[in-house]
Amino acid sequence: MESEVAMGFQVLELRMEGSLAIITLNRPKALNAINVTMVGELEQAVNQVRDDPRVRVVVITGAGDKAFAAGADITEFKAMSSIDAWMFVQRLQRLFLQIERLPKPVIAAVNGYALGGGCELMMACDIVYASDAAKIGQPEINLGIIPGGGGTQRLARLIGKQRAKELVLTGEMISAQEAWGLGLLNKVVPADQLMVEVRKLADKLAIKGPLAVMAAKEAIEDGYDMALERALAYEGKLFALCFATEDRTEGVNAFLEKRPANFKGK
Ligand code: DAK
């Protein structure tokens, strides 16, 4: 398949392969630590894939075979004032929220260490596949700080308060297998199969109706923190909205005519 690399990025790569956009964090010598430049480029890449109608699925991964991202760049913390940290934290949280709320599925392909901000980025993605060599953790406590990109919040929502406290308070890393057992990962695969499996998943997602995918993701995200009765009413409205789409007509007709559906996102 033809692929095209977007221009203008220094510390990440944005590659388009048909309906798939692959964002690769690209500072392998620093284990893809997330510096301010990378935050800016991630913001740009996320806007680009959101607005590009060709893109149906987004993958985020790390360059090299050691790390997805070993956290925020610790060298930038040295001179950071409390106010700088407050500004930085808001920017990073906004970015992770944008990824979580992207109206397209985002798969994290965790190819190695996912620590601190790397683990937080992973948790903002919709589906997480990891290499069996990956190591996951929130080691901020060892630096005398706490997670600031959602590590105390998304982690507790994903795996429960007690398990989140153990990870955040000890700062210890766990294996991919352990993380899977806690419900942090969807699938663990041999390292050399990671992108093969991720592409298989992306191919499955790319042929679904993009409007239904968007509505389903929104229903789960928005409904998650609502009381059940309101959440069900919200789901019902999005369900009804799907009936206004050409994709619904196509999906139902395709089933009745015993052929694959060709969804257009209309
Ligand atoms: N930052 C900068 N450089 C890093 C780095 C990091 N997080 N992690 C690794 N590196 C660099 C190392 O310094 C080393 O550089 P050179 O010495 O070669 O110049 C190179 O990457 C290779 O690392 P090692 O030599 O250490 O490799 P090892 O295999 O021996 O060890 C390791 C791998 C992952 C166990 C180790 O590198 C490590 O412990 N790294 C630090 C992990 C960590 O503590 N991560 C959490 C960072 S704190 C916020 C949102 C989020 C955050 C903060 C604020 N706001 C919204 C405000 C997040 C905070 C964090 O993530």
Side-chain angles (χ1 to χ4, degrees):
M1 174 174 307
E2 258 185 49
S3 77
E4 154 198 332
V5 176
M7 305 298 282
F9 293 102
Q10 291 169 43
V11 290
L12 64 78
E13 183 189 87
L14 170 58
R15 179 180 290 274
M16 303 291 188
E17 290 181 6
S19 56
L20 178 63
I22 303 177
I23 298 172
T24 305
L25 312 179
N26 194 14
R27 297 183 70 211
K29 286 192 182 133
L31 304 185
N32 303 320
I34 304 168
N35 61 7
V36 172
T37 308
M38 192 184 283
V39 172
E41 294 190 0
L42 269 169
E43 288 167 348
Q44 202 183 319
V46 167
N47 283 333
Q48 223 164 301
V49 299
R50 182 198 303 105
D51 297 339
D52 187 335
R54 292 172 302 172
V55 175
R56 296 257 179 117
V57 182
V58 180
V59 169
I60 303 180
T61 191
D65 56 5
K66 280 193 79 178
F68 175 70
D73 189 322
I74 299 170
T75 60
E76 290 180 347
F77 286 178
K78 203 165 158 59
M80 205 179 254
S81 70
S82 181
I83 300 294
D84 294 339
W86 193 14
M87 294 301 148
F88 181 63
V89 105
Q90 289 184 46
R91 193 170 170 197
L92 211 65
Q93 288 188 350
R94 205 167 46 232
L95 169 65
F96 291 171
L97 271 173
Q98 276 169 3
I99 291 171
E100 193 170 63
R101 304 315 302 256
L102 209 72
K104 307 177 180 189
V106 184
I107 306 168
V110 178
N111 54 310
Y113 292 112
L115 304 175
C119 181
E120 293 171 322
L121 171 61
M122 174 195 102
M123 291 189 289
C125 296
D126 299 309
I127 299 179
V128 184
Y129 279 15
S131 130
D132 54 5
K135 292 254 191 295
I136 320 284
Q138 296 284 167
E140 289 89 342
I141 203 87
N142 299 323
L143 302 170
I145 59 173
I146 69 165
T152 63
Q153 301 307 312
R154 286 195 183 88
L155 187 63
R157 282 165 173 72
L158 280 166
I159 67 173
K161 277 199 293 183
Q162 278 180 318
R163 288 166 172 158
K165 281 178 190 163
E166 190 176 354
L167 279 178
V168 169
L169 298 180
T170 65
E172 280 174 8
M173 290 184 239
I174 55 172
S175 68
Q177 210 45 254
E178 283 174 276
W180 178 82
L182 293 174
L184 257 183
L185 309 176
N186 293 77
K187 197 169 186 175
V188 180
V189 298
D192 62 351
Q193 290 302 302
L194 179 62
M195 286 313 288
V196 176
E197 291 295 319
V198 165
R199 280 174 207 279
K200 274 193 213 160
L201 172 65
D203 287 346
K204 281 187 210 166
L205 297 172
I207 57 168
K208 308 295 181 205
L211 297 172
V213 166
M214 177 168 78
K217 181 168 166 176
E218 193 173 318
I220 294 170
E221 286 294 347
D222 279 350
Y224 195 78
D225 291 320
M226 287 181 197
L228 184 63
E229 204 173 329
R230 287 208 49 207
L232 288 169
Y234 185 61
E235 180 190 70
K237 290 187 179 77
L238 288 173
F239 174 79
L241 194 60
C242 291
F243 277 71
T245 66
E246 288 175 25
D247 282 353
R248 182 276 305 223
T249 311
E250 167 62 8
V252 173
N253 286 345
F255 175 79
L256 296 174
E257 291 161 19
K258 301 190 189 301
R259 62 172 174 83
N262 180 14
F263 294 116
K264 302 243 166 58
K266 290 191 173 151

